Amino acid sequence: RLSRALPEAACRIVDADGELLLIEAALVVPRWLSPANSENKCWLRGGLVHLLPRPRPPEPDQLSRADALKRLRAPHGTTAAKDKVQQAIKSRLAGYPHKAFELSHHTARAVMPTLVARLFVQYPQLVSVAVDHLPLPSSNELSRLRQELKGDDGGVRLDCHGLQGHEIVCIGIR
């Protein structure tokens, strides 16, 4: 919306994995474009996705941001990506940001002491911290859990070792 409202604005969307727009349209972008050479080659401008053309020798594979913006704003030629790239991005953005927010939430059932459950209910931000600090189960335990999840009996054995003397509850954590 921003690039449509301000047609002279040029936006790049990058995260830890790289150029986000290229990742979302990976199946339809030109084959020569790869994570190794895509830096500063994918932009949003005027509400459209723009891909800077493949460099021709002796041009360098990598572009500085300033050079990329000069090419993007040059009056000759068009840098707008093909319709299939535009459609791929539009379909991924349909319903954004509400859809992205809904998809980013997960719900899990957990058995824990009542005091811990009360903390998680009152301070849900602690859930991710706690999950990050959980020990990894042994390969035997993972195999056992996989087998139980494949079974038809619907029952899962809960090992509450170390929780004797504590009131425990099963809660849904979102």
Side-chain angles (χ1 to χ4, degrees), residues 1-138:
R1 292 185 210 167
L2 176 66
S3 71
R4 196 175 301 129
L6 301 168
E8 290 303 310
C11 309
R12 269 182 72 212
I13 303 173
V14 182
D15 71 0
D17 295 326
E19 299 277 350
L20 194 60
L21 295 174
L22 292 179
I23 293 168
E24 295 300 330
L27 299 176
V28 293
V29 296
R31 289 185 185 180
W32 65 266
L33 205 50
S34 70
N37 67 9
S38 65
E39 188 174 357
N40 294 319
K41 295 207 173 95
C42 183
W43 297 83
L44 279 178
R45 186 166 189 241
L48 296 174
V49 177
H50 290 261
L51 297 176
L52 295 179
R54 182 182 208 167
R56 292 193 167 85
E59 295 176 334
D61 237 10
Q62 299 296 330
L63 286 174
S64 68
R65 186 177 301 134
D67 288 340
L69 287 170
K70 283 179 194 171
R71 291 182 187 192
L72 185 65
R73 293 179 175 139
H76 62 286
T78 179
T79 56
K82 293 184 178 182
D83 284 340
K84 60 184 178 180
V85 175
Q86 305 291 348
Q87 290 302 323
I89 296 298
K90 283 181 185 173
S91 70
R92 292 293 290 165
L93 293 177
Y96 182 83
H98 302 292
K99 184 178 175 184
F101 184 73
E102 288 173 10
L103 292 174
S104 70
H105 282 77
H106 305 284
T107 303
R109 292 203 181 274
V111 175
M112 62 188 69
T114 305
L115 289 173
V116 175
R118 286 183 186 149
L119 276 173
F120 285 159
V121 168
Q122 191 156 9
Y123 303 102
Q125 65 271 22
L126 292 177
V127 172
S128 63
V129 175
V131 168
D132 286 344
H133 289 85
L134 285 174
L136 294 175
S138 68

Side-chain angles (χ1 to χ4, degrees), residues 111 158-164 168:
V111 175
L158 298 173
D159 183 8
C160 296
H161 178 71
L163 295 178
Q164 291 86 3
I168 61 170

